[in-house]
Amino acid sequence: MVKPKTEEEIELLRENAIIVSKTLAEVGRRVAPGVTTLELNRVADEFIRDNGAIPSFLGYDGFPAALCMSVNDVVVHGFPSDYVLKEGDIVSVDCGTLYKGYNGDSAYTFPVGEVDAETRKLLDVTKASLYKGIEAAVAGNRTGDIGYAVQTYVESFGFSVVRELEGHGLGREMHEEPGVPNYGRRGKGTHLVEGMVICIEPMINAGGRGVYLARNGWAVHTSDHRKSAHYELTVVVRKGRAEQLSTYDFIEKDGKINF
Ligand code: MG
Ligand code: MG
């Protein structure tokens, strides 16, 4: 049985979620051809600390940076590096904070300059699948309803769901119960109860769903080396409609990047 959060805990998680949301925007407005992912990491690290929080990924199981920066065929957990972003790339930025004893965790995949039509579609469909998942994150449903919503949506476009990684509960720990897979069957999985705080984070491949772990033990790549996108938001399970804690409002206007 997963314990729901109190409203006091939810307020602390909301504060984290806002810092993370703003950090993603600070990074996103600097994403451009010619910029290295290490420079973007520095921006995030500084911004998080300026807001009184700690970058929670840094040192997590030995992770070396504030952000996961996953370019093109890297699904998640890429290290920031001296790789110079180039026109047509995509970069998934995953950010975590620790503030007042609670965690924030959200992600956004940014296009670098102009991307080709299929890549644009991958980004749009992956983000839309996240909102499909959020729609299913209501009290009385189960985690399988979220996974089903994400999976059926992305597969209808011919894209595929990475199954080795999943969303999760969020609280004092960055990864709490329940696991929230991005595939599944309606009416299966953990019961969703009002007040549960979860991160929903579809990781969607343009090609096949196969992935492998890089030799550094962290970066997850697509087996076919086609692109992969990742969007993550934190929500509170409520009756009727989930409440979003993190948001893309600092990045987007009317669903489009607005810097
Ligand atoms: Mg994350
Ligand atoms: Mg997460």
Side-chain angles (χ1 to χ4, degrees), residues 83-203:
Y83 175 77
V84 180
L85 293 172
K86 63 180 194 304
E87 185 92 15
D89 284 347
I90 57 173
V91 57
S92 301
V93 180
D94 196 348
C95 177
T97 57
L98 183 65
Y99 182 63
K100 297 184 180 175
Y102 284 79
N103 281 273
D105 181 16
S106 292
Y108 195 95
T109 302
F110 294 96
V112 182
E114 289 296 316
V115 297
D116 62 53
E118 203 218 19
T119 302
R120 183 70 260 167
K121 189 94 190 160
L122 175 67
L123 300 184
D124 291 344
V125 167
T126 304
K127 187 166 50 138
S129 79
L130 167 56
Y131 290 116
K132 296 279 179 197
I134 291 173
E135 276 175 34
V138 292
N141 270 358
R142 298 207 195 185
T143 52
D145 293 289
I146 298 173
Y148 177 85
V150 171
Q151 180 185 9
T152 51
Y153 185 75
V154 302
E155 289 182 352
S156 74
F157 293 90
F159 298 136
S160 57
V161 175
V162 174
R163 302 195 180 198
E164 287 77 359
L165 299 135
E166 61 185 17
H168 51 90
L170 188 73
R172 285 193 171 276
E173 301 297 327
M174 186 158 53
H175 297 119
E176 298 187 354
E177 291 297 319
V180 184
N182 297 301
Y183 66 97
R185 292 167 61 189
R186 280 189 283 197
K188 300 287 179 189
T190 305
H191 287 276
L192 299 173
V193 176
E194 173 153 36
M196 278 174 51
V197 174
I198 55 173
C199 292
I200 303 175
E201 49 178 315
M203 289 153 265

Side-chain angles (χ1 to χ4, degrees), residues 23 26-28 30-31 35-49 55-59 63-70 78-83 85 91-96:
T23 306
E26 287 302 308
V27 170
R30 290 170 176 84
V31 168
V35 176
T36 69
T37 53
L38 209 47
E39 287 168 54
L40 296 172
N41 180 74
R42 206 172 299 128
V43 167
D45 189 289
E46 195 176 305
F47 186 83
I48 291 166
R49 293 179 197 278
S56 57
F57 293 178
L58 184 62
F63 191 81
L67 298 178
C68 297
M69 299 289 275
S70 305
F79 291 176
S81 73
D82 55 9
Y83 175 77
L85 293 172
V91 57
S92 301
V93 180
D94 196 348
C95 177

